[in-house]
Amino acid sequence: MVQAVVDAQAGQAATAIPRYYNFALDLIAKTGEARLRKAAYIDNRGPMTYRELFARAEQFALFLGEHTRPEERVLMCMLDTVDWPVAFLGTLAAGRVAVPVNTLLTEDDYRFIYEDSRPRVLVISDELYPKIENVVGEARDLKILVSGSDTRGHTSFDAAIRERRDRIFTAFPTTRDSIAFWLYTSGSTGKPKAAVHTHASLRLTNDLYARAVLGLGEDDVVYSVPKLFFAYGLGNAMTFPLSAGATTVLMPGRPTPDSVVAVLKDHGVTAFFSVPTFYAAFLASPAAPARHELKLRRCVSAGEALPEEVGRRWSEKYGLDILDGLGSTEMLHIFLSNRPDDNKYGTTGKPVPGYEIKLVGDDGQPVPPGEIGELLVRGPTSAVMYWNNREQSRSTFLGEWTRSGDKYIQDAQGYYIYCGRHDDMLKVSGFYVAPFEVEGALLSHAEVLECAVVGWRDGDGLIKPKAYVVLKVQEKACDELARALQEHVKSRLAPFKYPRWIEFRHDLPKTATGKIQRFKLRAEDRTR
């Protein structure tokens, strides 16, 4: 019966989208006159109305119609300004494929993505151009548009749009299953892979999660710490607020507790999306505002599982829960989530309506509640494939099911409890140890800001937990505190789970989206 309901919800959501469909044009068609006059975005240059946003997107679509063919790629290496959604929506409206990329990559990373995606157009922020100049410097068939004042001899993105201001845009006929965009995985486990997504998936993430679970509306003011190039940030700062008619604040620079506090207070932000590490840093910052200074009504966390201690401290300070959720680049956004009226810290909640989840063991068979299994998800927003990577596609996309790579337990009440990534799980003295559980115990200590636990070989070659710890006050690092942290974990968990080694660090390796790169820490053991 439950399965039938899930299937019906997913099927109804998908079939509600007509066969001939374009997400960008759907947004434009559904935006009434009153909404067209309100601010869609506010960035460092000021506000931009919905009318201006959509007009500029159509003008960029006209440019693409003159310089590219349908389904060719548009590479976007852009900071979070209003030019970002203009470029993305314009690309979709033209029936081309948007490929937004991480703005913090190395030259080698950009070279890999450029050669993998083979774009015909590059839209790049002027500040980022030096990072990719050597990669595209000799490209003959690439049209480069620069967002910003320093065009370096290339065409200005703004000028390319203004030149087509008085021309009539004719939509390109895409379908709900047409390829709309690629998103490269964050690289938390190695080389990035391009997850290929369709037009319908954008609409479905909004209908199934943002509208049904979060209840975002046109009176909301939205800010997302994760950037637009990240699957999580794309939904937070574009798909969801534009679908609801809300206003979104964009910040091109790196978010810090001080800068985010200013955004939340100055713009009266009501819906705040972030990641666990930033919530922890925000709480630890001297700039953290008092409850009465903020207008927040929704706080969401994803990217990594939210430690119970961080959620509890946030609720105590601001009288508002953080709704922890699980999403992925492959599924586009959150499919497992806590709810405003059903939030249980220490868990990732329950499946979002329209999605089904099962936990399986190493043999591929379902595990009973209370046992650790790998999480598989079935839902209408799964990526079509990984581009140019058939082996990984076949390993991840198992028919209707998508492997998450995450280990979970389902408790007796139906909530899902995160245990760690598949590659992160440790077997100590014959028992599984979930690094996230050990990290949670360490984070409950008053001196710990953040930490990561990985497997490390002892003198006999056996794997035991090792913790990398960042303290709130670096000067307190010492052997005595390390022993105190070990005893603290022993007092909260089974003794065999405590970290045999504790190494204090000033910071931890992370992706641009805030995920800790534990594979880099594990690699240190292999190079000893």
Side-chain angles (χ1 to χ4, degrees), residues 132 197 355 447 481:
I132 204 169
H197 284 284
Y355 295 90
E447 301 294 345
L481 179 56

Side-chain angles (χ1 to χ4, degrees), residues 56-182:
R56 288 173 66 83
E58 290 182 352
Q59 289 151 18
F60 181 56
L62 284 167
F63 170 88
L64 294 177
E66 297 167 12
H67 293 276
T68 64
R69 294 177 296 182
E71 300 178 0
E72 289 186 324
R73 268 80 70 189
V74 176
L75 189 64
M76 297 170 49
C77 186
M78 305 176 71
L79 300 174
D80 276 22
T81 71
V82 292
D83 283 349
W84 203 107
V86 167
F88 188 92
L89 295 174
T91 300
L92 269 58
R96 277 58 174 173
V97 178
V99 186
V101 295
N102 185 332
T103 60
L104 300 176
L105 299 179
T106 66
E107 184 176 304
D108 286 343
D109 292 327
Y110 287 125
R111 181 170 287 105
F112 167 78
I113 290 174
Y114 175 73
E115 293 174 353
D116 190 53
S117 63
R118 301 191 296 274
R120 290 298 303 275
V121 173
L122 166 67
V123 186
I124 186 165
S125 296
D126 55 359
E127 294 177 41
L128 302 174
Y129 187 80
K131 300 180 70 172
I132 204 169
E133 183 173 15
N134 292 334
V135 175
V136 301
E138 298 180 1
R140 295 182 178 180
D141 298 325
L142 181 70
K143 185 70 175 179
I144 299 175
L145 301 180
V146 179
S147 168
S149 58
D150 186 359
T151 63
R152 299 175 183 268
H154 296 291
T155 303
S156 162
F157 181 70
D158 185 62
I161 288 173
R162 282 188 286 105
E163 288 173 3
R164 290 154 182 85
R165 183 172 296 170
D166 298 323
R167 302 186 192 177
I168 302 299
F169 169 70
T170 302
F172 181 82
T174 57
T175 73
R176 64 190 177 208
D177 294 328
S178 294
I179 305 305
F181 61 103
W182 303 355

Side-chain angles (χ1 to χ4, degrees), residues 16 57 66 110 209 303 308 320 370 445 490 503-504:
E66 297 167 12
Y110 287 125
Y209 174 69
E308 182 175 358
L320 184 69
H445 193 282
K490 288 181 183 179
E503 181 175 325
F504 295 109

Side-chain angles (χ1 to χ4, degrees), residues 25 154 252 258 345 420 485 516:
L25 301 180
H154 296 291
D258 285 3
Y345 283 135
L485 291 175
I516 296 172

Side-chain angles (χ1 to χ4, degrees), residues 432-497:
Y432 272 118
V433 174
F436 185 72
E437 184 182 23
V438 183
E439 291 165 6
L442 286 166
L443 286 168
S444 68
H445 193 282
E447 301 294 345
V448 177
L449 176 62
E450 58 182 357
C451 61
V453 172
V454 301
W456 197 262
R457 293 172 298 170
D458 65 12
D460 297 320
L462 300 175
I463 296 296
K464 300 291 171 59
K466 176 176 179 177
Y468 294 85
V469 175
V470 178
L471 297 174
K472 295 176 182 176
V473 180
Q474 298 288 342
E475 291 73 19
K476 292 188 177 182
C478 62
D479 291 343
E480 183 179 354
L481 179 56
R483 289 191 292 270
L485 291 175
Q486 289 173 319
E487 293 303 316
H488 182 75
V489 174
K490 288 181 183 179
S491 71
R492 283 160 172 75
L493 303 176
F496 68 87
K497 297 182 179 181

Side-chain angles (χ1 to χ4, degrees), residues 201-389:
S201 291
L202 289 162
R203 160 92 172 265
L204 290 166
T205 56
N206 175 74
D207 293 353
L208 297 175
Y209 174 69
R211 187 173 66 188
V213 174
L214 299 183
L216 291 184
E218 61 182 0
D219 293 330
D220 278 308
V221 178
V222 177
Y223 175 70
S224 173
V225 168
K227 299 297 186 178
L228 281 158
F229 65 76
F230 181 28
Y232 180 37
L234 177 66
N236 304 341
M238 194 202 74
T239 309
F240 302 164
L242 291 184
S243 297
T247 297
T248 303
V249 182
L250 296 177
M251 184 167 61
R254 176 177 173 269
T256 64
D258 285 3
S259 64
V260 171
V261 166
V263 167
L264 299 184
K265 292 168 63 175
D266 294 348
H267 297 285
V269 171
T270 61
F272 179 47
F273 297 84
S274 192
V275 294
T277 52
F278 194 88
Y279 277 114
F282 191 100
L283 286 166
S285 172
R291 182 183 307 182
H292 71 272
E293 296 179 272
L294 302 180
K295 295 183 178 180
L296 295 176
R297 73 175 193 90
R298 286 284 183 270
C299 296
V300 179
S301 180
E304 285 200 308
L306 178 73
E308 182 175 358
E309 179 69 14
V310 174
R312 183 188 60 77
R313 287 193 282 121
W314 184 273
S315 294
E316 289 177 354
K317 184 173 181 64
Y318 293 110
L320 184 69
D321 284 344
I322 299 174
L323 306 180
D324 189 27
L326 173 67
S328 68
T329 306
E330 292 79 4
M331 294 303 294
L332 189 54
H333 214 276
I334 290 172
F335 54 83
L336 177 67
S337 180
N338 282 282
R339 311 290 203 277
D341 58 351
D342 185 15
N343 188 52
K344 184 178 180 181
Y345 283 135
T347 80
T348 320
K350 298 176 181 178
V352 169
Y355 295 90
E356 183 188 357
I357 285 171
K358 66 178 177 181
L359 304 181
V360 300
D362 294 338
D363 59 0
Q365 297 302 307
V367 300
E371 291 191 14
I372 294 176
E374 183 181 0
L375 187 148
L376 274 63
V377 55
R378 179 167 71 174
T381 62
S382 175
V384 176
M385 62 179 173
Y386 293 127
W387 179 258
N388 273 347
N389 200 325

